[in-house]
Amino acid sequence: MEIFKHGGNLTRLSRISGRREDEILDFSANINPLGPPEWFRSVVSASLSKVIHYPDPDCTELVEAIAERYQALPQQIVAGNGSAEILHLVPRSLNARRAVIPVPSYADYASSSTTAGLEVETLTLQEKEGFRLDLSSLAERLAGDEVVFLCQPNNPTGSLFDADKLRRVAFEHPSTVFVVDEAFGSFVHAMDSLTKDRPENVVVVLSLTKTYAIPGLRLGCAIANQAIIERLRNIQPCWSVNSIAQAVGVAALKDTGYVRRSQQFIMEQRETLVTQLKSIPQLTVFLGEANFLLLRIDRDDLDARTLSDRMLVNGIAIRVCDNFVGLDRRFCRVAIRTSEENHKLCESLKSAMGIARSARRKARTPALMFQGCSSNAGKSVLTAAMGRILLQDGYHVAPFKAQNMSLNSFVTRSGDEMGRAQVVQAQACRLDPDVRMNPILLKPNTDTGSQVIVMGKPVGNMDVMEYVQYKPKAFEAAKEAYDSLARDFQVMVLEGAGSPAEVNLKHHDIVNMQMAQYAGAPVLLVGDIDRGGVFASFIGTMELLAEWERVLTAGFVINRFRGNKDLLHEAIEYTLRHTGRPVFGVVPHFPDLGLPEEDSVSFKAGLFDESAEDEDCVEIAVVDLPHISNFTDFDALRGEQDVRLKIVRSADDLNRPDAVILPGSKNVIGDLEYLKDRGIVSKLQELAHSKDAEIVGICGGFQMIGSAIADPHGLESDHKAIPALGFLNVTTVLALEKTLTRVTAKHLESGLTVHGYEIHHGQSDSSDLKPLVKKEDGSMDGCSSPEGRIWGTYLHGIFDADEFRRWFIDRLRDRRGLPMKNKVCSRYDLEPALDRLADAVRRSLDMDRIYKLMGIA
């Protein structure tokens, strides 16, 4: 039988259980369940360069920080390699003959005293009194030749003694030294610490190791009178506290907010865990105040060690307490951890005790999340690819992105607005788009503000700070949407946004790691190697993640690679050594996927620009607007061999096009003024008067080619009204109510069916002009000039209809003097593109390993 002197020995637990260390849920060590603070890794990284020098033997900055935090003098403080080192030094530094130790208590009090040659006298705390310390009984044992070891709160019982009464006892016994170990005191809300009003014969020992969840780093300190501290320093090994630990300690002592959050978290979790444990028959729970609980097994046929062995087989480690003086084989101790972990503890306890387990919680829906080292790293496309791969392998799968910032949106059948990227992902999963897949949509309308859309409906315009305040409410909506969606599917594929390492945003981020943690989704970080610096991006991102975020991060995916991937081997191995995370695959560069882009990043970067000259082509110019929305309205035109798209960003770009498309905009008035300032309006007016080109306005573009636009409610701008281009006699007023609807209609001039969706605040009056299309409900949309050369519509996606698109192009060809083709030349169908994408990504990724990661292998 192997006796464990302390909890938390993962090496031994791993050897005994046959499990990897990261597969063991450790309740045997009482460490802060929140994990290290957010700043921890950055402080460690910044101090690494100091390891080439000896550390400061006096711990000057650390001691000053301790002095400031606890209102003591530097001469009254010693720092140590964990509180354990100090506890071992104290008996050697004092002229005591014996040690008085109330038990049960931390074993090292007795072992350090015995090693120092002191007689050990114990005072047994009574179980029937809840192991409470009677200070009067203790005082009766004191003769002045002793050191008294007290733990506040007690380890392993968690009980507290009256600190003010101890002050009186210490005052009455000035020849006795009282060592008060407050290693777990920082977890107790409003505990009366002996660091305040400390008697001269009291030594207070503190553990930063436990408080800040850094047991592997080791850091503690003691506060006492100057004479005792000097004696401790004289026998302490030089350079006891390394440079990194000193730097971390200085930062930790300034972070009082972390301590308050920890206390609140533990108090809430302890209350729930106590209730759960009390419901287990033949198990007694002792109500302590610390971040752990003492348990007693009330069965003759089962002891704590047998219970521990059974639980360890299932990967749960608890602390057997039979080596605590005063406790027998019935007792064990468990740490307080997170809600989900505590639930696993209770279920494992029941199983090990042969008790029927609770009605099983519905297991989390298996999930995987793609996050990026940057925006436009390709995570949206990989999410779509993974959705199609899972579908091909027989899984009922759905995509999810908690929050999307994009002006490229879509309307579902139920009239809800969502990001277009999740629409493509839904198509990859062969699903009808569902607003639950993208519950939060932000549509920028200024440099610092956006329209906020929650579950498909706008809730208002907010600037950055307003939205930060609103985010907790938005996150609740996102979590509800995820839960609802996940209940309906076997597997979920999530997408993050931007980078999880944006240090100015991550504390209120709701789309990356917070969402991954909520969904229980392992994270694959996607890096765009085409930009360069992908391995630095991987390593840098990991360095900026908090420890809990690093735990969620399973590894990396290299995206958009050109060349021989064997050349990456050395860098991949380096990344594994540095981060401990593998690369799950190298995805090649796809020059033209044939899929709609997620947002306007690629469009703005020139992806859609066409420079090839072909006499058999018609040229369609698309005006690039600062707040362009739904730019995928002309995506179908890219697939036509006889169409050359030209993106217009200056007046010089508008020469002699066959057609000009003014696309949608989230700030129509602002974008119209932008066109005037750039001289593009003058060129458009020349084209309109010369009758050389067809001019098309879609949604916001439709409003622009009218005569006037009014924004009385300030929905998109500060301007109340502005003259428009005047190409059509159409006046538009932006109304508070937003139109969101799917549309099937007949194009009146061609007689062809078109389909799409409307997303607009504008209410346009064009009663004097002939309508463009007739909807299924009999209402009209859009209008055109008498000869049909200038027209506008609110219908996004009008060019997606193959027959209408060819009719439109043939009309341009005829006007240019080219023969009309009179047949559909290109089918706008994403299915083949999605299958090609899935096949290529499947070949590129280690799918077996990914499926195991998700728990579906």
Side-chain angles (χ1 to χ4, degrees):
M1 179 184 297
E2 185 165 10
I3 301 296
F4 285 75
K5 185 178 179 183
H6 302 292
N9 191 332
L10 284 179
T11 301
R12 287 189 180 180
L13 291 169
S14 174
R15 191 189 70 215
I16 294 170
S17 67
R19 290 173 172 266
R20 298 195 315 268
E21 290 186 13
D22 60 2
E23 293 178 332
I24 297 173
L25 191 52
D26 186 14
F27 284 85
S28 70
N30 309 315
I31 306 302
N32 193 325
L34 293 185
E38 292 279 335
W39 46 259
F40 172 73
R41 183 164 290 272
S42 62
V43 171
V44 171
S45 296
S47 57
L48 274 175
S49 59
K50 295 181 179 180
V51 300
I52 62 173
H53 305 290
Y54 284 105
D56 175 6
D58 301 318
C59 303
T60 306
E61 290 186 31
L62 176 59
V63 167
E64 289 173 352
I66 296 168
E68 182 177 354
R69 172 75 173 269
Y70 294 103
Q71 298 299 295
L73 297 173
Q75 305 93 289
Q76 299 172 328
I77 295 166
V78 64
N81 182 26
S83 58
E85 181 194 43
I86 296 171
L87 290 170
H88 277 268
L89 293 176
V90 167
R92 294 170 50 198
S93 68
L94 302 176
N95 295 319
R97 183 182 65 82
R98 64 194 181 110
V100 177
I101 306 172
V103 294
S105 175
Y106 182 49
D108 280 17
Y109 302 154
S111 62
S112 63
S113 298
T114 301
T115 302
L118 278 65
E119 297 179 8
V120 175
E121 180 180 329
T122 60
L123 172 65
T124 302
L125 305 177
Q126 299 302 307
E127 181 181 339
K128 63 183 179 180
E129 297 173 3
F131 299 105
R132 300 284 174 181
L133 173 62
D134 183 348
L135 287 169
S136 298
S137 298
L138 174 65
E140 293 173 359
R141 301 283 191 97
L142 305 181
D145 61 347
E146 65 276 308
V147 55
V148 177
F149 284 93
L150 302 173
C151 195
Q152 177 79 328
N154 177 273
N155 175 20
T157 70
S159 62
L160 292 170
F161 58 76
D162 186 333
D164 207 41
K165 189 170 183 179
L166 179 69
R167 292 184 180 98
R168 293 196 296 272
V169 171
F171 180 77
E172 293 166 358
H173 298 79
S175 298
T176 300
V177 176
F178 296 83
V179 179
V180 181
D181 180 2
E182 294 188 2
F184 302 103
S186 57
F187 298 117
V188 182
H189 177 67
M191 190 188 84
D192 184 4
S193 171
L194 269 297
T195 58
K196 302 189 296 286
D197 302 322
R198 178 185 51 78
E200 282 295 294
N201 56 332
V202 169
V203 179
V204 181
V205 181
L206 303 168
S207 172
L208 278 72
T209 285
K210 297 176 178 65
T211 303
Y212 294 92
I214 51 172
L217 198 57
R218 314 298 305 138
L219 187 60
C221 67
I223 302 175
N225 70 46
Q226 185 172 347
I228 292 176
I229 294 299
E230 286 178 355
R231 290 200 293 272
L232 285 172
R233 286 178 175 173
N234 287 337
I235 62 173
Q236 184 182 37
C238 195
W239 308 304
S240 181
V241 184
N242 66 68
S243 299
I244 297 175
Q246 290 186 40
V248 169
V250 171
L253 289 158
K254 296 176 182 177
D255 190 357
T256 56
Y258 172 83
V259 175
R260 289 193 297 271
R261 291 193 301 274
S262 301
Q263 291 173 350
Q264 181 64 31
F265 181 82
I266 289 165
M267 188 164 56
E268 293 169 356
Q269 295 302 322
R270 180 173 54 235
E271 182 179 350
T272 303
L273 181 57
V274 166
T275 300
Q276 293 173 336
L277 291 170
K278 281 187 171 182
S279 70
I280 300 176
Q282 299 175 304
L283 189 69
T284 297
V285 183
F286 294 87
L287 302 181
E289 302 293 330
N291 59 323
F292 52 82
L293 293 167
L294 181 67
L295 309 178
R296 187 187 69 215
I297 304 160
D298 300 324
R299 282 171 48 173
D300 293 335
D301 64 336
L302 183 65
D303 61 19
R305 187 159 300 281
T306 303
L307 181 72
S308 172
D309 291 343
R310 291 176 182 176
M311 294 177 70
L312 189 57
V313 171
N314 295 318
I316 306 288
I318 62 174
R319 175 71 159 91
V320 178
C321 294
D322 55 5
N323 69 323
F324 283 91
V325 177
L327 298 181
D328 58 33
R329 64 183 184 83
R330 299 173 298 164
F331 289 88
C332 60
R333 189 194 67 201
V334 296
I336 294 170
R337 295 177 65 97
T338 66
S339 176
E340 184 174 344
E341 291 169 335
N342 293 339
H343 176 78
K344 290 180 180 178
L345 167 73
C346 292
E347 293 305 300
S348 181
L349 273 168
K350 291 177 186 177
S351 177
M353 295 176 72
I355 298 170
R357 301 177 70 170
S358 306
R360 291 193 66 180
R361 291 182 178 180
K362 184 182 183 300
R364 284 180 185 267
T365 302
L368 178 72
M369 190 177 205
F370 288 103
Q371 295 184 22
C373 293
S374 65
S375 295
N376 203 36
K379 54 190 178 293
S380 179
V381 170
L382 289 176
T383 301
M386 186 58 65
R388 177 53 61 96
I389 290 170
L390 286 159
L391 179 73
Q392 291 170 343
D393 289 349
Y395 292 98
H396 192 37
V397 56
F400 181 85
K401 185 170 185 175
Q403 173 191 291
N404 199 347
M405 177 176 281
S406 176
L407 290 173
N408 201 25
S409 60
F410 179 86
V411 177
T412 68
R413 293 188 190 280
S414 57
D416 298 315
E417 190 174 1
M418 62 184 287
R420 185 65 183 256
Q422 280 62 62
V423 173
V424 174
Q425 292 164 1
Q427 289 175 282
C429 301
R430 293 205 178 104
L431 299 173
D432 201 38
D434 186 325
V435 73
R436 293 178 297 172
M437 299 170 182
N438 176 212
I440 313 296
L441 177 62
L442 306 180
K443 302 186 76 172
N445 48 21
T446 68
D447 289 343
T448 59
S450 297
Q451 182 182 57
V452 180
I453 297 165
V454 179
M455 292 303 292
K457 299 293 188 276
V459 297
N461 290 338
M462 301 183 193
D463 63 25
V464 173
M465 296 312 300
E466 288 172 328
Y467 183 61
V468 168
Q469 295 298 314
Y470 182 79
K471 267 189 174 182
K473 187 173 181 179
F475 193 33
E476 289 305 310
K479 290 188 288 188
E480 288 177 16
Y482 181 83
D483 289 341
S484 174
L485 193 63
R487 283 193 293 268
D488 293 343
F489 291 88
Q490 293 177 299
V491 187
M492 299 290 292
V493 184
L494 293 81
E495 181 190 348
S499 163
E502 299 288 352
V503 293
N504 59 319
L505 302 176
K506 67 199 297 280
H507 62 288
H508 56 72
D509 177 50
I510 64 173
V511 65
N512 288 305
M513 289 300 180
Q514 290 279 5
M515 193 64 232
Q517 183 182 55
Y518 182 79
V523 174
L524 295 182
L525 276 175
V526 181
D528 180 3
I529 197 170
D530 202 40
R531 297 183 181 187
V534 71
F535 296 104
S537 296
F538 287 151
I539 294 170
T541 298
M542 290 295 288
E543 287 297 311
L544 293 174
L545 296 180
E547 293 307 303
W548 68 269
E549 295 170 317
R550 291 170 63 88
V551 170
L552 290 170
T553 307
F556 313 106
V557 174
I558 297 171
N559 197 25
R560 296 176 182 149
F561 179 66
R562 309 169 194 249
N564 182 356
K565 68 179 183 181
D566 291 340
L567 298 175
L568 302 177
H569 178 74
E570 185 177 348
I572 289 173
E573 286 298 313
Y574 178 88
T575 303
L576 175 62
R577 290 195 304 272
H578 193 97
T579 67
R581 304 297 190 277
V583 170
F584 279 78
V586 180
V587 179
H589 175 73
F590 302 118
D592 189 1
L593 287 171
L595 295 175
E597 290 293 317
E598 175 183 4
D599 50 38
S600 61
V601 174
S602 297
F603 174 77
K604 296 287 186 183
L607 178 65
F608 289 12
D609 295 1
E610 302 283 354
S611 58
E613 296 291 338
D614 190 333
E615 293 183 357
D616 190 49
C617 283
V618 294
E619 181 180 293
I620 300 177
V622 179
V623 180
D624 184 8
L625 303 172
H627 301 94
I628 188 171
S629 66
N630 295 79
F631 63 91
T632 49
D633 283 341
F634 45 86
D635 199 62
L637 294 166
R638 297 175 63 210
E640 299 287 353
Q641 295 298 312
D642 59 339
V643 171
R644 180 171 63 252
L645 282 181
K646 183 172 185 179
I647 308 305
V648 173
R649 298 185 175 92
S650 69
D652 293 338
D653 293 334
L654 267 177
N655 296 317
R656 295 181 58 83
D658 297 287
V660 179
I661 298 176
L662 280 164
S665 167
K666 197 65 190 69
N667 187 336
V668 178
I669 291 176
D671 283 355
L672 188 53
E673 291 188 328
Y674 167 85
L675 297 181
K676 290 178 181 177
D677 293 341
R678 287 293 186 98
I680 295 175
V681 165
S682 298
K683 281 295 189 80
L684 289 171
Q685 289 170 338
E686 291 177 16
L687 289 172
H689 294 145
S690 68
K691 301 181 180 181
D692 288 337
E694 192 157 335
I695 298 178
V696 179
I698 299 177
C699 198
F702 175 34
Q703 297 167 9
M704 289 184 187
I705 64 176
S707 55
I709 306 168
D711 186 9
H713 305 290
L715 297 175
E716 295 185 358
S717 68
D718 295 331
H719 297 282
K720 298 301 182 186
I722 189 173
L725 296 175
F727 299 162
L728 296 175
N729 185 23
V730 177
T731 58
T732 299
V733 177
L734 302 187
L736 286 173
E737 191 69 23
K738 192 173 192 177
T739 299
L740 297 165
T741 183
R742 292 274 284 271
V743 175
T744 298
K746 178 182 284 188
H747 182 255
L748 294 176
E749 184 174 354
S750 67
L752 297 170
T753 298
V754 293
H755 50 81
Y757 49 95
E758 295 184 34
I759 306 174
H760 56 91
H761 284 281
Q763 299 294 324
S764 297
D765 181 4
S766 58
S767 55
D768 294 340
L769 299 169
K770 64 179 184 179
L772 189 77
V773 301
K774 183 177 182 180
K775 304 178 190 177
E776 286 182 325
D777 63 4
S779 62
M780 303 294 181
D781 171 72
C783 61
S784 70
S785 60
E787 77 286 2
R789 192 177 57 82
I790 300 176
W791 55 273
T793 177
Y794 277 115
L795 190 57
H796 292 291
I798 191 170
F799 293 118
D800 291 358
D802 298 332
E803 287 79 8
F804 173 75
R805 185 174 65 254
R806 175 42 54 187
W807 177 87
F808 169 74
I809 296 168
D810 272 352
R811 187 161 71 164
L812 300 182
R813 291 179 65 85
D814 186 51
R815 189 178 292 123
R816 178 182 272 270
L818 298 173
M820 294 188 291
K821 305 225 173 184
N822 293 317
K823 64 177 182 179
V824 172
C825 301
S826 173
R827 294 287 180 186
Y828 186 56
D829 183 2
L830 300 185
E831 280 296 302
L834 288 167
D835 282 333
R836 289 194 304 271
L837 172 67
D839 291 344
V841 171
R842 185 192 291 273
R843 291 192 301 269
S844 304
L845 298 182
D846 187 343
M847 291 305 304
D848 289 342
R849 195 171 187 179
I850 290 174
Y851 277 12
K852 287 179 183 177
L853 183 66
M854 298 171 68
I856 60 175

